[in-house]
Amino acid sequence: MTDSVIQFSDLALNDSILSALDGMGFVSPTPIQAAAIPHLMEGSDALGKAQTGTGKTAAFSLPLLNKIDLSQRKPQAIVLAPTRELAIQVAAEMKNLGQNIAGLKVLEIYGGTSIVDQMRALKNGAHIIVGTPGRVQDLINRDRLHLDEVHTFVLDEADEMLNMGFVDDVTAIMEHAPSSAQRVLFSATMPPMLKNIVERFLRDPITVDVAGKNHTVDKVEQQFWVVKGVEKDEAMSRLLETEETDASIVFVRTRQDTERLADWLCARGFKASALHGDIPQSLRERTVDHIKQGVIDILVATDVVARGLDVPRITHVFNYDIPFDVESYIHRIGRTGRAGRKGKAILLVRTNQLRMLRTIERVTKSSMEEIQLPHRDKVAEARLAKLGAELETEKEHKALEKFSELVEKLQESLELDAATLAAILLKRQQGKRPLFYIGEDPMIEAIERDKQRRKERRERDGGRDGGRREGGRSFNTQDWDTYQFQVGREQGVQVKDIVGALANELGLTKGSIGAIKLAQGETYVQLPKAMSSDTAGKLSKLRIRQKQVDAVVCDFNDFREPRGRREGGRDGGRRDGGFRGNRDGNRGGRDGNRGGRDGGGYRGNREGGRDGGGYRGNREGGRDGERRFDRNRGGDNRGNYRGERGHGRDRNSSEG
């Protein structure tokens, strides 16, 4: 699909919305917006296929805002998002687009915060609800969220929602929708489970497909550095000094971090400024003008305020904090590589965030190069080279003759030769940024210490009899074969599905299932070498979630768990959510799908909890459902295994 040539003013949007778009500098819609908005304005059900970063939030938000009745206190639209971070982001963008609609109330609701406050906000009235499926369903069940006046239901990133196990919640919410309500679904992919929802709930939907490759990533060289050896502040300093930058944006998560990091950089001689939503609009505009004019070279910014920022001299985007979702990442790196120039994006990622990095690579169909942080001697060399370049430009300055006279006077008065005087002036010039270092780089020592700790940990965790310790039990690898199943997270498979199928279809007991490692496209499972021929025959025909597993013996044996997620959690759970089954340890989840809302994890998401799994799923499903780890998410925030203390069922919400 080619770029749209129409303008927002051609789309029959009301003046309040058009004035907001104009104020934000948006004139022409993106392809997904141009294709979807006219149909949504007519009230048609719609199925939009679009990669993240294509502007789909505005595509469903603008028609929705256009038909809001401000006199109606009950919710008129429900927007479901897979994670709390995305819900916050979508709500913020809706508020921004509707900033000129007087009295508009957009309410975000999600797990991990007080449900009492959210119930109070609902009682006070809200026009649009943006929430995660678990909390929305929870409030419906409590009779606090009423859908009888809702005229629009939107499922944003629907495939991600189902991958996270929200299929039951989404289905239940859609069943509550009034028959006359418009239903809109946006998704980057269309897995079978999602097709079932489309066929069941959408009525003759208009299909808008702009799911082609996002070309933002084509124009930007992408690299990442795994945080180790030094703190991220020091890493940012080294990268900023050794990269050939013109202007840069450093993305952080919170407004407090923008101020702190900008101050830290300024104290070390960088021309940096913070940019976040609490800064008055006039000052934000002045800050953007300053980076355009070269008064400052570095913006330390949050995601929301940097949306739509167009500064051609920005050559680098630094992701100081990894974003919560892929769409934010694409928006971030889209700030560089503009005006026909090649841009560069560098991501600082902790080891427990590498899964999110791989998700970004998979969705954007790109590959990031891992880089090593420059040693401090290289930083000093870069400083000296920069000083040399600056001095080169001063060689022909007309005032040098006067300064030569000053040099002669200083030599005479201080009784110094020219070389010593030059050395003194260079020492003063370097300030807090040394032109050379003495001694070993502390980063090298820190990395060596970390390597030694990992080595000692591997030796300590090795089984006493040559086996591997998993979930508090020792496995002698001589008694087990490792099988590779050709199903994994990409097919929506979870550990409980593996366990349930092995228990029910093969008749294996708890002691007959070893370690389990769930990966993107495959799963590795330890099974006894002494299996009967009957059991082996059943294994060859085993299907999980309607997928043939095609089990084959392989030599994989890396069932280790990254640091921070080792065995012996509160339940003594197996690494990587190994077999725990149901409470009698033998029922294996029956059909592999009874884990309570399909979303409750032991401590939410140990990888960073995009929406934090609850400790026991919901109460209706938690009794027969297994407790499990949900390892399919990335991000920095941890799930809350208790949820919100003292608030009844919310404590057991599937979102934490």
Side-chain angles (χ1 to χ4, degrees):
M1 181 177 290
T2 59
D3 291 339
S4 171
V5 294
I6 67 171
Q7 297 186 343
F8 282 113
S9 55
D10 301 323
L11 296 177
L13 297 167
N14 64 47
D15 292 339
S16 298
I17 295 174
L18 291 174
S19 63
L21 290 168
D22 185 60
M24 290 185 284
F26 298 137
V27 177
S28 299
T30 65
I32 186 67
Q33 293 163 2
I37 289 175
H39 296 298
L40 298 184
M41 297 274 281
E42 294 173 356
S44 302
D45 285 8
L47 171 60
K49 286 190 66 178
Q51 295 285 358
T52 54
T54 55
K56 56 186 174 59
T57 301
F60 63 73
S61 297
L62 292 173
L64 197 159
L65 291 168
N66 200 66
K67 59 182 178 180
I68 288 296
D69 180 1
L70 296 173
S71 64
Q72 171 64 49
R73 287 173 52 84
K74 284 188 177 181
Q76 298 167 53
I78 302 289
V79 179
L80 297 180
T83 68
R84 68 186 72 183
E85 293 78 22
L86 185 58
I88 293 169
Q89 181 179 303
V90 169
E93 187 158 347
M94 286 185 128
K95 291 173 185 176
N96 208 21
L97 293 169
Q99 59 186 288
N100 295 335
I101 303 176
L104 175 69
K105 289 186 178 181
V106 179
L107 176 63
E108 51 266 56
I109 56 176
Y110 47 84
T113 58
S114 171
I115 196 170
V116 174
D117 292 343
Q118 293 173 359
M119 289 190 293
R120 187 180 299 115
L122 281 171
K123 187 176 181 180
N124 292 333
H127 301 111
I128 302 171
I129 302 297
V130 183
T132 49
R135 181 54 64 89
V136 169
Q137 180 60 26
D138 204 350
L139 289 165
I140 291 173
N141 290 341
R142 291 169 182 252
D143 199 31
R144 300 305 179 98
L145 175 58
H146 303 114
L147 308 185
D148 50 304
E149 298 294 335
V150 173
H151 53 61
T152 307
F153 281 82
V154 179
L155 272 63
D156 190 17
E157 296 199 12
D159 52 351
E160 190 72 5
M161 222 174 313
L162 302 189
N163 284 341
M164 292 177 65
F166 287 125
V167 60
D168 292 338
D169 287 325
V170 170
T171 301
I173 293 167
M174 296 299 286
E175 287 173 346
H176 282 91
S179 59
S180 59
Q182 182 182 23
R183 297 163 174 85
V184 181
L185 187 150
F186 279 90
S187 179
T189 61
M190 194 57 57
M193 201 184 329
L194 190 57
K195 289 180 181 178
N196 293 338
I197 287 182
V198 171
E199 293 171 358
R200 180 175 175 185
F201 294 108
L202 271 63
R203 302 154 303 187
D204 300 322
I206 301 296
T207 300
V208 180
D209 188 352
V210 291
K213 182 176 173 66
N214 189 299
H215 294 289
T216 298
V217 297
D218 295 336
K219 300 180 291 183
V220 180
E221 180 184 358
Q222 300 173 77
Q223 298 176 335
F224 71 95
W225 172 69
V226 179
V227 178
K228 55 187 176 183
V230 299
E231 293 298 322
K232 289 202 290 184
D233 289 357
E234 171 65 16
M236 278 305 314
S237 175
R238 295 191 185 196
L239 290 169
L240 286 166
E241 291 201 63
T242 54
E243 289 287 327
E244 295 182 4
T245 65
D246 186 356
S248 308
I249 298 184
V250 181
F251 280 101
V252 297
R253 285 231 176 96
T254 68
R255 59 179 180 272
Q256 292 88 349
D257 280 342
T258 64
E259 300 281 0
R260 183 199 61 76
L261 184 57
D263 289 345
W264 190 91
L265 291 172
C266 287
R268 283 152 183 79
F270 296 97
K271 295 187 290 183
S273 184
L275 189 67
H276 57 76
D278 284 355
I279 295 176
Q281 183 64 32
S282 58
L283 181 55
R284 283 159 60 179
E285 292 174 359
R286 191 180 316 135
T287 301
V288 173
D289 286 339
H290 282 173
I291 196 167
K292 288 180 178 179
Q293 297 162 9
V295 177
I296 59 174
D297 294 324
I298 303 166
L299 282 180
V300 185
T302 54
D303 284 293
V304 174
V305 295
R307 289 291 177 93
L309 186 65
D310 188 358
V311 181
R313 68 181 289 253
I314 293 175
T315 56
H316 285 64
V317 166
F318 295 95
N319 291 278
Y320 181 91
D321 292 321
I322 193 169
F324 288 120
D325 54 78
V326 182
E327 184 166 0
S328 294
Y329 176 79
I330 294 175
H331 276 293
R332 286 181 179 188
I333 70 172
R335 300 312 101 210
T336 186
R338 306 178 84 85
R341 301 169 67 178
K342 189 77 175 177
K344 192 171 187 178
I346 298 178
L347 172 65
L348 277 58
V349 58
R350 299 190 184 279
T351 53
N352 66 341
Q353 299 167 343
L354 288 172
R355 287 182 186 273
M356 183 59 190
L357 181 144
R358 301 308 175 199
T359 298
I360 291 172
E361 289 183 316
R362 176 173 53 82
V363 174
T364 60
K365 297 181 175 66
S366 61
S367 178
M368 295 191 208
E369 173 195 3
E370 182 175 2
I371 60 173
Q372 301 302 318
L373 205 63
H375 295 171
R376 65 180 186 178
D377 288 341
K378 293 293 183 183
V379 177
E381 288 176 13
R383 291 171 182 166
L384 187 59
K386 182 180 179 182
L387 177 60
E390 292 172 351
L391 295 176
E392 178 74 24
T393 63
E394 300 289 334
K395 286 194 328 184
E396 305 299 327
H397 198 284
K398 59 184 179 181
L400 288 181
E401 186 176 338
K402 293 291 184 182
F403 283 98
S404 295
E405 295 174 4
L406 287 177
V407 169
E408 292 175 1
K409 288 181 180 180
L410 286 171
Q411 283 183 261
E412 183 178 344
S413 63
L414 298 174
E415 298 181 352
L416 295 172
D417 57 54
T420 304
L421 179 59
I424 292 172
L425 294 174
L426 275 176
K427 180 179 180 296
R428 291 176 59 86
Q429 168 70 26
Q430 74 174 356
K432 296 181 180 179
R433 301 167 73 179
L435 295 172
F436 65 90
Y437 287 96
I438 299 174
E440 285 293 328
D441 188 341
M443 180 180 74
I444 299 175
E445 297 176 7
I447 291 174
E448 290 303 317
R449 286 196 302 270
D450 186 57
K451 286 182 179 178
Q452 184 62 28
R453 281 196 297 267
R454 287 200 301 268
K455 179 181 178 182
E456 292 172 356
R457 192 180 306 120
R458 283 196 298 270
E459 292 172 352
R460 184 173 62 249
D461 291 341
R464 294 180 182 176
D465 57 356
R468 188 173 303 282
R469 188 167 177 81
E470 298 290 341
R473 296 190 299 169
S474 293
F475 294 94
N476 188 335
T477 53
Q478 295 179 352
D479 299 330
W480 302 84
D481 279 330
T482 299
Y483 287 81
Q484 180 179 348
F485 291 5
Q486 310 307 317
V487 292
R489 289 195 181 92
E490 289 180 351
Q491 291 77 31
V493 171
Q494 301 172 24
V495 169
K496 66 178 183 181
D497 299 324
I498 305 291
V499 171
L502 293 174
N504 294 311
E505 302 301 324
L506 273 65
L508 296 179
T509 62
K510 179 178 180 179
S512 300
I513 302 175
I516 298 176
K517 181 87 168 187
L518 191 64
Q520 280 299 113
E522 65 276 342
T523 301
Y524 300 96
V525 184
Q526 283 187 328
L527 296 175
K529 285 187 176 181
M531 281 195 301
S532 67
S533 57
D534 180 56
T535 302
K538 292 178 180 178
L539 177 62
S540 65
K541 301 175 183 178
L542 184 66
R543 298 176 68 87
I544 298 177
R545 290 209 171 195
Q546 290 78 50
K547 301 286 185 181
Q548 186 80 28
V549 303
D550 296 326
V552 294
V553 176
C554 65
D555 58 1
F556 178 88
N557 62 2
D558 186 12
F559 290 95
R560 288 173 300 146
E561 197 45 32
R563 184 181 182 185
R565 284 187 278 153
R566 294 194 173 273
E567 71 217 318
R570 296 179 183 256
D571 293 341
R574 178 178 315 288
R575 297 179 188 175
D576 213 77
F579 172 66
R580 289 155 74 173
N582 293 315
R583 292 192 174 181
D584 63 1
N586 209 2
R587 283 150 61 188
R590 298 285 182 190
D591 59 356
N593 194 22
R594 296 175 60 184
R597 281 202 188 178
D598 240 1
Y602 167 65
R603 285 192 57 186
N605 180 345
R606 299 296 290 265
E607 248 330 283
R610 295 271 303 267
D611 206 29
Y615 178 67
R616 290 171 54 191
N618 73 27
R619 293 192 176 184
E620 290 79 355
R623 291 184 180 178
D624 293 331
E626 63 180 8
R627 302 171 188 171
R628 63 176 177 84
F629 289 105
D630 179 2
R631 305 204 173 274
N632 198 20
R633 304 265 45 86
D636 231 359
N637 287 356
R638 303 279 178 176
N640 182 351
Y641 87 97
R642 288 189 175 183
E644 196 65 29
R645 295 186 181 181
H647 293 303
R649 179 170 167 260
D650 179 58
R651 185 173 62 189
N652 298 320
S653 167
S654 67
E655 298 167 356

